[in-house]
Amino acid sequence: MGSSAEWGLVIAVFAASVVEVVEALTIVLAMGMTRSWRSALAGTGAALIALVGFTAAAGYALANWLPESAMQLSIGTLLLIFGLQWLRKAVLRSSGRKALHDEAEEFAEQTEAARHAGQRRRFGLDWFSFVVSFKGVFLEGVEVVFIVITFGLSAGNMPVAAAGAAIAAVLVVIFGALAHGPLTRVPENTLKYGVGLLLATFGTFWAIEGLGILSPHGESLEWPGSDFALIALLAGWYLLSRVLVKALRRPTSAPATPSQPTHGTASLPAYTATEEA
Amino acid sequence: MSFLKGFGQFWYDFIIGDDWKIAVAVVVVLTAGAIAVATGGTESALLVPLLAVGLGAAFTTALLIDTRKT
């Protein structure tokens, strides 16, 4: 694998992981700042330990028990569902039918819920902070694990894929610590759109290949053009999403001013300031 | 019991997420593909791109159902 391909792999996993880690960080920060840092960090630590166990068990099962086509079908189907969920949100946001994801708003909702939750204590910990932090970190972490497995196996370089996710986690935590709050400047909507396209592309490719497990010889189905089909799939999902954005677009009542904040608008032309506001 | 409920809720949130129609759309198309592969009724070179188009159509349908009400 050439260095440019390795960089591409790192960037893809990094972008996908940043989105997940930012969401997990927002939950932990909300619990820590409003209730108990000790309990929130204990929940985070427990989730990380559970994630290591889950990754080891899933990795062992994938490597030893499942034939290649069964692994492609199971992981591909999960990725396809994740990717299309993200793509659905991106299309609805771009067409003005859903509010753009705002990490500050998410943080406010979490802190509000934390303030109104009861004061139940278990094992010397504030149980609400512990459980919410645990669930947030574990849920987002499992998605990162699947993303690393898929991109790592597709590129035949698991260590580089894992490194991309690790760099994302470390950087997000460092920036979160420096900011003392949720990372609202991360262009999450744009990243989610891009990552949704990638996940839908790889998910489609793998899930359909994996259907070969049901064929008489049990081997993966072949895509016309082999791996080049990934490019056609990416283009297909992108075009479909743009057509849907255009078809579902709602006319905006008032034009936005150019000086409005535009976080999340980095590279996709359809994410206009009007849609961000 | 509450552990089992929480465990089930976690996996529901993880797999189904915000919109169950997306998961249903994916499962319907892949099930149709699985039947076609298992019965050996269709050439792989034709079936594979056909299923990809089917996934696009299913995604579009799920989104249109979603937006019809709004």
Side-chain angles (χ1 to χ4, degrees):
Chain A
M1 189 167 138
S3 61
S4 59
E6 282 177 359
W7 276 110
L9 175 63
V10 169
I11 290 166
V13 175
F14 178 84
S17 303
V18 161
V19 176
E20 306 292 357
V21 181
V22 164
E23 290 184 355
L25 180 73
T26 300
I27 294 167
V28 174
L29 283 172
M31 294 305 118
M33 289 167 86
T34 45
R35 292 182 70 102
S36 159
W37 273 112
R38 189 167 151 264
S39 305
L41 291 176
T44 304
L48 291 176
I49 292 168
L51 264 179
V52 170
F54 175 82
T55 308
Y60 183 82
L62 289 173
N64 296 290
W65 293 346
L66 288 181
E68 190 189 14
S69 48
M71 182 194 69
Q72 288 173 323
L73 180 59
S74 52
I75 297 206
T77 303
L78 279 177
L79 276 190
L80 190 52
I81 294 173
F82 296 157
L84 293 184
Q85 293 275 13
W86 285 22
L87 213 50
R88 167 187 168 271
K89 284 182 195 162
V91 168
L92 294 177
R93 284 172 179 146
S94 265
S95 57
R97 287 175 180 264
K98 184 177 171 68
L100 289 173
H101 184 83
D102 184 339
E103 216 54 43
E105 202 176 296
E106 177 69 26
F107 182 75
E109 280 173 20
Q110 291 285 346
T111 50
E112 192 63 18
R115 284 196 187 99
H116 290 99
Q119 287 290 342
R120 187 178 172 201
R121 293 193 78 80
R122 286 179 79 175
F123 309 113
L125 296 169
D126 170 41
W127 202 239
F128 184 82
S129 304
F130 178 86
V131 170
V132 172
S133 301
F134 178 88
K135 280 171 75 176
V137 173
F138 189 72
L139 190 78
E140 306 300 343
V142 169
E143 289 189 28
V144 171
V145 169
F146 279 118
I147 288 165
V148 168
I149 288 174
T150 308
F151 289 152
L153 286 178
S154 296
N157 198 336
M158 195 63 82
V160 168
I167 293 167
V170 169
L171 286 181
V172 168
V173 171
I174 289 173
F175 281 111
L178 291 175
H180 292 292
L183 296 178
T184 52
R185 284 168 184 261
V186 171
E188 214 178 325
N189 292 299
T190 306
L191 280 177
K192 274 192 166 172
Y193 187 16
V195 173
L197 286 170
L198 282 177
L199 295 185
T201 298
F202 277 92
T204 307
F205 189 84
W206 271 35
I208 293 177
E209 263 196 341
L211 286 174
I213 186 76
L214 296 160
S215 65
H217 45 82
E219 286 175 8
S220 305
L221 299 181
E222 286 287 324
W223 276 88
S226 196
D227 286 356
F228 287 107
L230 283 167
I231 298 168
L233 282 174
L234 183 62
W237 282 120
Y238 176 74
L239 281 175
L240 179 62
S241 67
R242 299 324 307 164
V243 168
L244 286 169
V245 166
K246 205 162 187 179
L248 298 175
R249 190 183 294 278
R250 274 189 166 157
T252 48
S253 52
T257 56
S259 58
Q260 278 181 294
T262 56
H263 65 83
T265 63
S267 58
L268 291 163
Y271 276 87
T272 61
T274 310
E275 288 156 353
E276 281 280 355
Chain B
M1 194 64 195
S2 65
F3 171 78
L4 280 179
K5 197 178 165 192
F7 188 76
Q9 184 66 45
F10 173 84
W11 287 105
Y12 182 89
D13 289 344
F14 183 65
I15 295 170
I16 308 296
D18 297 336
D19 184 14
W20 59 269
K21 295 185 289 303
I22 297 287
V24 169
V26 169
V27 169
V28 165
V29 174
L30 291 181
T31 304
I35 292 167
V37 172
T39 54
T42 319
E43 276 292 311
S44 168
L46 180 67
L47 180 66
V48 167
L50 209 61
L51 286 173
V53 172
L55 284 169
F59 173 66
T60 305
T61 307
L63 208 54
L64 291 179
I65 291 171
D66 223 13
T67 53
R68 197 180 48 180
K69 292 170 261 174
T70 57

